[in-house]
Amino acid sequence: MRWTDIEELAALERQLFPHDAWAEPTWWSELAGRPRRDYVVEEDAEGIVGYAGLDLGGEVADVMTIAVAPRAQGRGLGARLLAELVDRAEREGAEFLMLEVRDDNLAARALYERAGFELLTTRRRYYQPGGIDAHIMRRRLKGATA
Ligand SMILES: CC(C)(COP(=O)(O)OP(=O)(O)OC[C@H]1O[C@@H](n2cnc3c(N)ncnc32)[C@H](O)[C@@H]1OP(=O)(O)O)[C@@H](O)C(=O)NCCC(=O)NCCS
């Protein structure tokens, strides 16, 4: 991810996350958070088709975001981006990868379950407005000892 991606990322966010899109200032601060924050962007001839990012905080890494543009969904890109995050977290020595997902996001939940993430806990009515539950999921990585 480069600073020149930010305008396009913010536009995709408005499409993909209507409830809580990250605006440009959030992207600037995420970019400034490198190397602890680590983002990957995939492009085709028309522009950005997918992006995903990590917080690499030590033994537990967190998925900050993952998204695929509507025109490219359903072709395996989300799964590839997630696999890339797993690789990067493992290379940095993390033992677990965590993420948070809305109860009503069935596509994302299926993606995570297929990639080996397990439900750790549920925060009831976490997302407002709407009172949607948040599921916290976790996947053990290669370096995990316990
Ligand atoms: C979730 C998202 C990243 C999936 O990306 P994608 O490229 O379409 O997903 P893939 O084609 O790699 O699919 C991988 C797996 O995810 C699941 N999946 C993807 N889309 C799905 C859908 N619409 N319904 C059910 N399961 C779905 C399936 O298990 C699929 O595996 P399979 O095709 O072998 O059955 C994409 O839908 C997206 O960007 N959504 C909007 C943003 C978002 O919600 N991000 C996650 C926030 S927690």
Side-chain angles (χ1 to χ4, degrees):
M1 176 188 162
R2 300 177 303 254
W3 71 268
T4 47
D5 296 326
I6 286 178
E7 201 180 331
E8 208 177 333
L9 288 169
L12 277 169
E13 284 276 309
R14 291 192 288 277
Q15 266 187 293
L16 293 164
F17 297 100
H19 309 284
D20 43 17
W22 286 3
E24 291 190 21
T26 303
W27 282 110
W28 280 108
S29 89
E30 290 300 299
L31 193 62
R34 287 183 300 189
R36 181 178 166 132
R37 293 286 214 272
D38 185 16
Y39 282 84
V40 57
V41 164
E42 173 126 349
E43 289 172 315
D44 67 8
E46 288 172 50
I48 295 173
V49 275
Y51 54 94
L54 280 176
D55 177 73
L56 296 161
E59 65 191 37
V60 178
D62 289 280
V63 176
M64 298 300 297
T65 192
I66 180 165
V68 172
R71 72 176 189 279
Q73 286 181 4
R75 290 191 228 144
L77 179 53
R80 268 199 288 128
L81 287 168
L82 189 56
E84 176 68 24
L85 296 188
V86 166
D87 279 355
R88 289 179 184 215
E90 284 180 339
R91 277 204 299 271
E92 291 303 315
E95 299 189 16
F96 294 95
L97 184 56
M98 309 253 306
L99 57 81
E100 193 182 284
V101 61
R102 291 171 61 101
D103 180 71
D104 58 0
N105 194 345
L106 299 180
R109 287 174 61 192
L111 166 69
Y112 302 144
E113 274 162 27
R114 213 173 167 77
F117 283 81
E118 291 171 346
L119 179 65
L120 202 60
T121 180
T122 296
R123 293 187 182 143
R124 296 282 167 216
R125 302 181 59 79
Y126 180 78
Y127 296 104
Q128 299 296 341
I132 306 295
D133 292 349
H135 300 299
I136 315 299
M137 301 183 80
R138 186 176 79 163
R139 186 187 140 157
R140 190 178 290 270
L141 301 177
K142 265 191 207 134
T145 46

